[in-house]
Amino acid sequence: RMAVDPEDETSVHSLPDELRDLSTRQPSGGSTPRPDGPARLGNDGDTRQDHPHQYHFDVVAAAREANVDHYVGASHWWVKLRRMAVDPEVKVWTRDCCSETYGQRLFLLMGNSSKIEEAVECLSLEVSDGQQLRVICHGTGEYLFVEARPGGVGDAQSTAVLMLPEVRVLSRD
């Protein structure tokens, strides 16, 4: 293991992602996925941003599970980190299209279980199609969540359909 001074931010950021990665190929889950968009595709290490290389919420299956004709609400994805993280760096790759299906805004949360209702929001992001974002999520936890909430235009006013090609959570300590 390389010695890194945690007070020196430049030394941490000079380490390659592979040495700081807390999330790639770790257990993941979330809202009901489409058969061609399982949760594991959100942290499989593949950063391609087109279909079918992403977690994809299944609004039809969610409606069926809720026993309603039309699902209304948010959708989310989570990853269990290799270890507890404090204020991690998070890289998010957005899909090459369709960010309007979740109002072009994503929310990052951290928690200590896979229950999103117990997690604490650490950041909201305005996003567009085909981006790679790099942010600091100010929080502590063993789980990172990405949530899409209703509030956009059209169908996104009532239902947020999350499509998430890749997320990488990186230690900063």
Side-chain angles (χ1 to χ4, degrees):
R1 181 174 156 119
M2 296 177 66
V4 175
D5 177 359
E7 299 301 312
D8 181 2
E9 296 252 346
T10 59
S11 67
V12 172
H13 293 296
S14 66
L15 292 175
D17 285 4
E18 295 75 26
L19 296 178
R20 302 187 297 133
D21 190 346
L22 300 175
S23 59
T24 301
R25 290 183 289 287
Q26 290 298 104
S28 59
S31 302
T32 306
R34 284 180 21 168
D36 64 346
R40 66 178 170 74
L41 294 181
N43 65 319
D44 62 355
D46 184 346
T47 59
R48 288 180 284 182
Q49 293 171 285
D50 57 334
H51 181 75
H53 308 106
Q54 84 274 340
Y55 159 77
H56 194 306
F57 173 59
D58 189 337
V59 69
V60 174
R64 194 169 40 248
E65 287 175 7
N67 201 24
V68 296
D69 291 333
H70 180 73
Y71 176 84
V72 173
S75 54
H76 72 278
W77 173 90
W78 58 260
V79 60
K80 183 178 189 315
L81 305 175
R82 293 184 205 289
R83 64 176 172 80
M84 178 78 66
V86 176
D87 299 338
E89 177 181 338
V90 181
K91 291 184 176 181
V92 177
W93 284 259
T94 61
R95 188 169 164 191
D96 63 348
C97 78
C98 315
S99 59
E100 73 280 356
T101 64
Y102 51 83
Q104 296 177 315
R105 181 172 295 277
L106 295 174
F107 298 85
L108 302 183
L109 301 89
M110 294 194 75
N112 290 313
S113 76
S114 61
K115 297 177 182 171
I116 193 167
E117 57 275 2
E118 296 175 3
V120 176
E121 184 177 317
C122 59
L123 191 64
S124 69
L125 298 168
E126 287 189 33
V127 301
S128 58
D129 298 339
Q131 284 186 303
Q132 179 186 342
L133 303 161
R134 180 179 164 184
V135 296
I136 303 301
C137 185
H138 292 284
T140 301
E142 295 180 66
Y143 287 77
L144 178 99
F145 296 82
V146 179
E147 183 179 30
R149 298 175 185 162
V153 296
D155 288 343
Q157 287 180 336
S158 61
T159 305
V161 179
L162 181 59
M163 296 174 230
L164 194 61
E166 191 70 15
V167 173
R168 194 168 295 155
V169 182
L170 304 170
S171 169
R172 295 182 42 213
D173 55 15

